[in-house]
Amino acid sequence: MRPARGVHRLRLPGGLGSQLADSYDLQGAGIRVHWGSAAHEAGFVVRQMDKGTDWNSLQASVSQNLALSTIGYPFVETDMIGGSLGQPAPTKDVLVRWAQSSSYMPLMYASTSPAGTTDVTTGQQVPYDDQTVALYREAIARHERLAPYIWDQVRRTLKTGDPIVRPLFFDFPQDRASYTIGDEWMLGPAVLAAPNLTASASRDIHLPAGTWYDVNRGRTVKGPVTLKSYATPLAVTPAFVNLRAQGATKALTALRRQ
């Protein structure tokens, strides 16, 4: 496949490629890198392939992040929030849920504006309401508050190779139920994210062994337990802090409701 006009492909040894990428990035414009084994060693962010704009694409963005991170590429994001701009515009709920999901990833990467966009398949303007903007902003603010905790995880992964986001079984290998759960994950050792990735108004949430703080309901929950039909109106992004895990204090500071 030929590169798009204006895009140049270079094949360089890892060291030279890192120097080139650093030089371009210092210009402030950034650079997209599709790399092989040197990507994680050089600290490059791994961007997923373009996604669609529906619920299935949102779910795929999460499962792919967990897979990539677990096999050694820790600096991941869920593709552009809302999916590719070359696809039909996402619905309000998909856009908001995507932003909420991304707020519990190492990075957030945006495309569709919550203030409104143009559907390229119809040429029509697609407006979003004030709630969309408010919930999108809330997701960004949450990620900003988590930044000190996430930065600790970055330093940890550079030392140990542990993924920053990972499936539940990575931290709880004795928990059999965790091996079949693909819509919850750990952000570092202290934060369990369980956002709603569907159009449903509720979801089941599995908590492994431990003492967990429910950041939405302000209560402590003992695991292992499965919380059945946990209510998830659009403004709610379920998340829990493992109170005995390393980093729990920073996570609580970031996530506890004021």
Side-chain angles (χ1 to χ4, degrees), residues 7 15 75 79 120 128 151 189 192 211 243 248 251:
V7 175
F75 308 112
D79 191 38
V120 298
Y128 297 110
W151 181 242
L192 186 153
T211 303
L243 295 178

Side-chain angles (χ1 to χ4, degrees), residues 137-228:
R137 282 177 171 167
E138 182 180 298
I140 294 172
R142 176 167 50 246
H143 196 264
E144 289 179 342
R145 294 195 305 271
L146 280 167
Y149 171 78
I150 293 174
W151 181 242
D152 286 348
Q153 309 319 311
V154 170
R155 291 187 291 185
R156 179 187 179 97
T157 197
L158 292 175
K159 290 181 180 179
T160 68
D162 288 351
I164 298 173
V165 291
R166 58 269 197 140
L168 300 189
F169 62 75
F170 185 92
D171 292 272
F172 304 96
Q174 304 305 317
D175 189 314
R176 291 191 174 187
S178 69
Y179 286 83
T180 59
I181 295 174
D183 58 356
E184 299 178 31
W185 61 90
M186 298 300 298
L187 174 64
V191 177
L192 186 153
N196 192 342
L197 307 178
T198 72
S200 174
S202 66
R203 59 157 299 167
D204 294 347
I205 299 174
H206 177 71
L207 300 177
T211 303
W212 301 88
Y213 181 78
D214 182 338
V215 300
N216 287 287
R217 297 181 176 178
R219 64 176 186 175
T220 300
V221 183
K222 294 286 289 185
V225 65
T226 298
L227 306 178
K228 296 288 189 179

Side-chain angles (χ1 to χ4, degrees), residues 235-246:
V236 171
T237 310
F240 301 80
V241 175
N242 185 347
L243 295 178
R244 297 183 180 178
Q246 184 177 4

Side-chain angles (χ1 to χ4, degrees), residues 26-246:
L26 289 174
Q27 297 176 8
I31 181 172
R32 180 187 295 185
V33 181
H34 293 262
W35 218 275
S37 61
H40 56 302
E41 298 169 2
F44 291 142
V45 171
V46 176
R47 178 185 179 275
Q48 296 182 19
M49 295 291 291
D50 286 353
K51 294 287 182 292
T53 55
D54 57 9
W55 291 110
N56 288 338
S57 298
L58 169 57
Q59 293 157 19
S61 75
V62 168
S63 60
Q64 289 178 21
N65 255 11
L66 295 180
L68 287 167
S69 185
T70 303
I71 64 173
Y73 296 86
F75 308 112
V76 291
E77 41 75 27
T78 60
D79 191 38
M80 297 175 288
I81 295 170
S84 172
L85 289 174
Q87 301 289 327
T91 64
K92 168 187 173 176
D93 286 10
V94 169
L95 181 60
V96 169
R97 293 302 194 191
W98 207 311
Q100 293 170 342
S101 170
S102 296
S103 70
Y104 285 102
M105 294 291 178
L107 301 111
M108 297 182 75
Y109 179 32
S111 62
T112 302
S113 169
T117 188
T118 300
D119 188 325
V120 298
T121 63
T122 65
Q124 299 297 312
Q125 286 292 314
V126 178
Y128 297 110
D129 61 13
D130 290 343
Q131 185 190 35
T132 308
V133 175
L135 294 179
Y136 200 110
R137 282 177 171 167
E138 182 180 298
I140 294 172
R142 176 167 50 246
H143 196 264
E144 289 179 342
R145 294 195 305 271
L146 280 167
Y149 171 78
I150 293 174
W151 181 242
D152 286 348
Q153 309 319 311
V154 170
R155 291 187 291 185
R156 179 187 179 97
T157 197
L158 292 175
K159 290 181 180 179
T160 68
D162 288 351
I164 298 173
V165 291
R166 58 269 197 140
L168 300 189
F169 62 75
F170 185 92
D171 292 272
F172 304 96
Q174 304 305 317
D175 189 314
R176 291 191 174 187
S178 69
Y179 286 83
T180 59
I181 295 174
D183 58 356
E184 299 178 31
W185 61 90
M186 298 300 298
L187 174 64
V191 177
L192 186 153
N196 192 342
L197 307 178
T198 72
S200 174
S202 66
R203 59 157 299 167
D204 294 347
I205 299 174
H206 177 71
L207 300 177
T211 303
W212 301 88
Y213 181 78
D214 182 338
V215 300
N216 287 287
R217 297 181 176 178
R219 64 176 186 175
T220 300
V221 183
K222 294 286 289 185
V225 65
T226 298
L227 306 178
K228 296 288 189 179
S229 299
Y230 189 105
T232 55
L234 193 58
V236 171
T237 310
F240 301 80
V241 175
N242 185 347
L243 295 178
R244 297 183 180 178
Q246 184 177 4

